[in-house]
């Protein structure tokens, strides 16, 4: 055991005043794939990830009755559905970003996370659409929120694909 005085003889603390955090808390449901893409923008980029020391959160994912937990350290990410939401437990979303200059990114991170909210879908089941499968192909919406993806689409060629997020990049009006 070392007392504080003896410890400071061997070690001089180095404070990094650029370390801060941004925490966001909201109700509602989140699109799993939008969330993964949003977080991935920061932790999958070798330069940006240097500033993100930790990202932690738990989420209410559209199409699931289980809590989704995500933990990231720099470029490493661990995520999974962990347990069912409790009967009286409020279904909310919480995420915290810890790293360098997070306060400067507060607005950017908050707006980015808000864009992960699952919104009402544009196309009803049975609607004819164009699905992006490297090129746009004709298809029909056959299911909403299938395996946490916004749409399941049956292509006119007979195959089936998913549109993970309801944006024109994946599915658009025919």
């Amino acid at each position: 055991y070392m007392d504080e005085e003896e410890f400071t003889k061997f070690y001089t603390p180095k404070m990094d005043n650029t370390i801060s955090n941004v925490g966001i808390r909201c109700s509602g449901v989140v699109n799993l794939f939008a969330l993964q893409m949003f977080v991935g923008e920061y932790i999958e980029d070798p330069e940006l990830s240097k500033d993100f020391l930790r990202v932690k959160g738990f989420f209410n994912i559209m199409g699931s009755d289980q809590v989704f937990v995500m933990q990231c350290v720099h470029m490493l990410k661990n995520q999974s559905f962990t347990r069912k939401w409790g009967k009286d437990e409020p279904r909310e979303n919480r995420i915290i970003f810890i790293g360098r200059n997070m306060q400067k990114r507060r607005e950017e991170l908050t707006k980015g996370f808000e864009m992960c909210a699952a919104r009402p879908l544009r196309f009803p089941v049975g609607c004819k659409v164009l699905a992006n499968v490297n090129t746009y192909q004709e298809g029909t919406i056959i299911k909403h929120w299938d395996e946490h993806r916004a749409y399941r689409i049956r292509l006119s060629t007979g195959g089936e694909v998913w549109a993970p997020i309801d944006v024109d990049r994946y599915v658009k009006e025919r």
Side-chain angles (χ1 to χ4, degrees), residues 65-134:
D65 62 350
Q66 293 190 325
V67 177
F68 184 75
V69 175
M70 178 185 289
Q71 296 189 58
C72 311
V73 177
H74 293 292
M75 295 182 82
L76 303 174
K77 179 168 51 171
N78 185 357
Q79 58 187 2
S80 65
F81 288 96
T82 58
R83 61 174 174 81
K84 286 190 178 246
W85 286 95
K87 181 182 171 196
D88 297 321
E89 181 179 11
R91 289 190 176 209
E92 62 181 8
N93 306 287
R94 294 185 187 192
I95 188 168
I96 187 163
F97 300 90
I98 303 167
R100 289 180 189 81
N101 302 310
M102 291 297 113
Q103 289 301 317
K104 292 179 181 176
R105 290 187 164 117
R106 176 177 292 282
E107 185 176 342
E108 170 190 341
L109 293 170
T110 301
K111 285 182 179 180
F113 182 64
E114 288 171 354
M115 294 304 297
C116 298
R119 292 174 174 48
L121 299 176
R122 298 178 291 167
F123 307 115
V125 170
C127 184
K128 305 289 186 195
V129 295
L130 294 173
N132 187 350
V133 289
N134 294 325

